[in-house]
């Protein structure tokens, strides 16, 4: 099981879309968030209605397949169930996708004005990373989403090498369009539905840390957690040099 844990608005659905394009993995899009928000999540023909049943399947019934899931660390009992499953934490191959908290705050608020200080998600990523390490798992793979859009080939190659997947450069591009995996939450994924590859889209937001005290406070709270993770980010430079040679 390959698990990508992402801060919100960190281009994780583009990452997911690239993994889909490989064609060699069973893919799960935000299964724990689906359980929290909709009470169920689908994997092929199977439907799971609790984090515990999903975790049991991931832990015990996936030995003959490669599974990729991407999610933001869920809140409440869903997060506690993930943190408590030491076998899942130890045996899966985890990666953590980050973005600057100031950018997350503005992007998230534009879609969800009711967001709170926990909605930036970086503190929870650090908590999950610590739990993976405590369980004996490898929590060393941290990806900077700026690298993902500025140097996609090198970043995806570095990720694949770090988690033990073959790199497939053909998966860096895809056909635009909405996917069934994110249809229920489509308004959060408009950019990737319109995309054909990794790209930086510049946005001007009416509410930012420059003009909103609330967003500035939220981002400032998460800045130390961002810096903690950023210091561990994958160095993609060697892979960039190989791609250019």
């Amino acid at each position: 099981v390959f698990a990508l844990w992402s801060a919100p608005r960190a281009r994780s659905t583009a990452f997911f879309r690239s993994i889909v394009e490989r064609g060699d993995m069973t893919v799960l899009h935000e299964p724990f968030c689906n359980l929290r928000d909709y009470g169920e999540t689908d994997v092929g023909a199977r439907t799971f209605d609790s984090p515990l049943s999903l975790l049991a399947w991931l832990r015990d019934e996936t030995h003959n397949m490669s599974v990729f899931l991407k999610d933001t660390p869920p809140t409440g009992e869903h997060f506690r169930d993930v943190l408590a499953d030491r076998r899942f934490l130890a045996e899966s191959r985890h990666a953590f996708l980050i973005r600057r908290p100031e950018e997350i705050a503005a992007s998230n608020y534009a879609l969800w004005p009711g967001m709170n200080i926990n909605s930036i998600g970086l503190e929870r990523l650090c908590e999950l990373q610590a739990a993976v390490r405590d369980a004996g798992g490898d929590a060393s793979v941290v990806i900077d989403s700026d690298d993902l859009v500025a140097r996609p080939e090198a970043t995806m190659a570095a990720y694949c090498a770090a988690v033990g997947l073959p790199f497939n450069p053909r998966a860096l591009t895809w056909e635009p369009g909405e996917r069934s995996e994110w249809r229920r939450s489509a308004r959060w994924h408009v950019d990737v539905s319109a995309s054909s590859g990794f790209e930086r889209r510049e946005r001007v937001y009416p509410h930012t840390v420059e003009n909103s005290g609330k967003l500035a406070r939220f981002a400032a709270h998460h800045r130390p957690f961002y810096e903690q993770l950023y210091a561990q980010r994958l160095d993609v430079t060697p892979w960039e040099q190989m791609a250019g040679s």
Side-chain angles (χ1 to χ4, degrees), residues 37-64:
D37 296 338
Y38 309 112
E40 63 180 26
T41 196
D42 297 326
V43 182
R46 298 185 61 165
T47 298
F48 297 93
D49 61 6
S50 74
L52 293 178
S53 62
L54 175 61
L55 285 163
W57 179 79
L58 289 167
R59 196 181 58 236
D60 300 324
E61 299 182 45
T62 59
H63 301 300
N64 62 344

Side-chain angles (χ1 to χ4, degrees), residues 205-245:
Y205 296 105
H207 301 94
T208 69
V209 296
E210 280 75 33
N211 61 25
S212 167
K214 179 172 75 171
L215 294 186
R217 179 168 57 86
F218 289 178
H221 174 82
H222 286 267
R223 169 55 63 169
F225 302 106
Y226 168 78
E227 292 175 352
Q228 177 182 325
L229 291 162
Y230 184 79
Q232 306 168 56
R233 71 195 184 282
L234 281 176
D235 179 8
V236 306
T237 305
W239 301 96
E240 189 175 32
Q241 292 168 347
M242 279 191 268
S245 61

Side-chain angles (χ1 to χ4, degrees), residues 43-202:
V43 182
R46 298 185 61 165
T47 298
F48 297 93
D49 61 6
S50 74
L52 293 178
S53 62
L54 175 61
L55 285 163
W57 179 79
L58 289 167
R59 196 181 58 236
D60 300 324
E61 299 182 45
T62 59
H63 301 300
N64 62 344
M65 66 179 80
S66 292
V67 177
F68 175 86
L69 73 88
K70 87 92 171 174
D71 220 324
T72 56
T75 55
E77 66 179 270
H78 299 80
F79 190 45
R80 289 194 296 273
D81 287 340
V82 172
L83 292 179
D85 196 323
R86 292 176 63 86
R87 267 192 59 208
F88 169 74
L89 295 176
E91 295 172 6
S92 300
R93 300 181 184 182
H94 302 274
F96 304 87
L97 181 62
I98 61 172
R99 189 178 183 183
R100 283 172 282 186
E102 297 80 10
E103 294 179 357
I104 295 173
S107 180
N108 212 356
Y109 187 84
L111 284 164
W112 183 26
M115 66 180 285
N116 59 41
I117 197 166
N118 295 320
S119 303
I120 306 294
L122 292 162
E123 181 176 12
R124 193 164 283 121
L125 277 189
C126 286
E127 186 179 352
L128 181 55
Q129 186 188 48
V132 171
R133 287 186 172 137
D134 184 65
D138 184 352
S140 65
V141 182
V142 178
I143 304 158
D144 178 11
S145 68
D146 282 342
D147 283 335
L148 194 59
V149 291
R151 303 183 282 179
E153 182 174 0
T155 302
M156 293 303 289
Y159 164 76
C160 288
V163 299
L165 281 172
F167 173 56
N168 183 350
R170 292 190 300 276
L172 296 172
T173 58
W174 51 80
E175 288 295 319
E178 184 180 282
R179 296 277 305 184
S180 60
E181 292 94 346
W182 65 70
R183 187 162 293 139
R184 286 190 290 194
S185 55
R187 75 184 189 94
W188 291 88
H189 311 298
V190 171
D191 284 350
V192 72
S193 292
S195 74
S196 57
F198 294 102
E199 57 188 47
R200 183 186 300 276
R201 291 177 178 243
E202 299 299 336

